[in-house]
Amino acid sequence: MTTVIKAPGEAAAERGPGTGQDRGRGKGGSDGMVLNVFSHGFLAVWGILIILPLIWLVLGSFKTDAQIGGSALGWPSHWEFDAFSRAWTKGIGSYFANTVIVMVFSVPLTMLLGSMAAYVLARYPFTGNRLIYYFFVSGAMFPVFLALVPLFFMVKRLDMLNTYQGLILVYIAYSMPFTVFFMHSFFRTLPTAVHEAAVIDGASHTRIFFQVMLPMAKPGLISVGIFNILGQWNQYILPSVLMQPQTGSDPERYVLTQGLIQLQYQMGYETDLPVLFAGVTIAMIPMLVVYLSFQRQIQAGLTSATLK
């Protein structure tokens, strides 16, 4: 029996230009390349549309009105820092302090109450569990505009209009649906064996939650906490309805979003765009710092539930 050994070129010629599997791989690879180019191009355009207004805003706070009118995106010919001091003295400082006072209480209480409710709904089956969960989730689909009138009269009956505590309670109720929805999904991904081991060791439900389950849910807490901070910091509709002086003697407890509008109203027919740009920059910087500082934790919290 004679064995015929063919050269690699002859073998490739007999096989033809390629098998169906090879042609499929090549087609799939080209489709994936086109999809990557399209997605990266879309993200690049989206990033430019976001970054350019921010650059224009920040640069405008260091210019004069004449420089802003002459070149919107041009580099300042002479750096002016007076706009920040003028914006701060015109009320941005007090508006900033009011916002911080409200959020120091609203965000931690939202995280505490929301995580406790989500933990119970995720780990303890009982009658009406799903009904309560869907009740929380339905709150996220309810437009806040529909609740403004009854919310106003409810807060007024409690004598909490234009008060920090009234806005804090409303912020907590406003942020609870998303917090419960997010943390409920996260608590369900945590290992049950750790919870059972803590129960066998005799730990109470409170101790299991605060010392075992809550530290394990730290990535999720950071993620949903950042979203709550951003949402409450940029909230405008609720403060506009609830933080209005009722009489001439009532103090103005406007938050930053209201304060920027007030700053624009104070100008009247005068144009002082650098002050307005400086006020927006002051309001924007804390959120950029918070997001950039916890960017990796946010990504870990959003992807951990999927990876587990």
Side-chain angles (χ1 to χ4, degrees), residues 116-128:
M116 290 174 66
Y119 170 72
V120 172
L121 294 173
R123 310 296 297 193
Y124 295 95
F126 56 89
T127 304

Side-chain angles (χ1 to χ4, degrees), residues 67-282:
Q67 292 178 2
I68 293 176
S71 178
L73 291 176
W75 204 258
S77 59
H78 179 68
W79 293 85
E80 299 285 345
F81 295 89
D82 295 339
F84 290 93
S85 60
R86 296 201 307 270
W88 193 266
T89 55
K90 285 186 176 182
I92 291 297
S94 60
Y95 305 146
F96 190 94
N98 293 337
T99 306
V100 172
I101 291 173
V102 171
M103 295 190 61
V104 162
F105 293 96
S106 63
V107 173
L109 288 175
T110 300
M111 299 305 301
L112 176 63
L113 299 177
S115 60
M116 290 174 66
Y119 170 72
V120 172
L121 294 173
R123 310 296 297 193
Y124 295 95
F126 56 89
T127 304
N129 182 301
R130 302 305 296 176
L131 180 63
I132 297 175
Y133 171 72
Y134 289 129
F135 177 78
F136 275 111
V137 174
S138 63
M141 299 180 291
F142 191 79
V144 68
F145 301 97
L146 299 179
L148 289 179
V149 175
L151 184 63
F152 173 82
F153 286 106
M154 182 183 298
V155 177
K156 185 177 181 180
R157 288 184 179 181
L158 296 174
D159 197 20
M160 290 186 178
L161 287 176
N162 198 33
T163 60
Y164 296 131
Q165 58 268 29
L167 190 61
I168 289 171
L169 292 177
V170 172
Y171 273 3
I172 294 173
Y174 171 78
S175 304
M176 281 289 286
F178 175 74
T179 304
V180 172
F181 171 76
F182 188 94
M183 293 306 301
H184 179 273
S185 302
F186 199 89
F187 277 123
R188 289 179 66 89
T189 63
L190 299 181
T192 307
V194 178
H195 181 272
E196 294 176 350
V199 173
I200 294 174
D201 290 340
S204 62
H205 296 293
T206 304
R207 186 174 182 181
I208 292 174
F209 173 71
F210 284 103
Q211 297 186 3
V212 179
M213 306 304 292
L214 204 60
M216 295 175 61
K218 183 179 178 180
L221 289 172
I222 293 176
S223 299
V224 74
I226 296 300
F227 285 120
N228 284 330
I229 290 174
L230 294 175
Q232 295 180 14
W233 185 272
N234 297 321
Q235 180 60 238
Y236 174 72
I237 298 298
L238 293 176
S240 298
V241 175
L242 303 176
M243 298 295 283
Q244 295 289 344
Q246 302 302 302
T247 63
S249 60
D250 290 344
E252 291 185 354
R253 294 192 175 97
Y254 294 148
V255 296
L256 265 176
T257 50
Q258 293 174 281
L260 294 174
I261 301 299
Q262 287 296 116
L263 190 63
Q264 184 179 7
Y265 287 158
Q266 291 174 7
M267 295 181 184
Y269 293 101
E270 299 178 358
T271 58
D272 195 358
L273 292 179
V275 171
L276 184 60
F277 288 0
V280 177
T281 303
I282 293 173

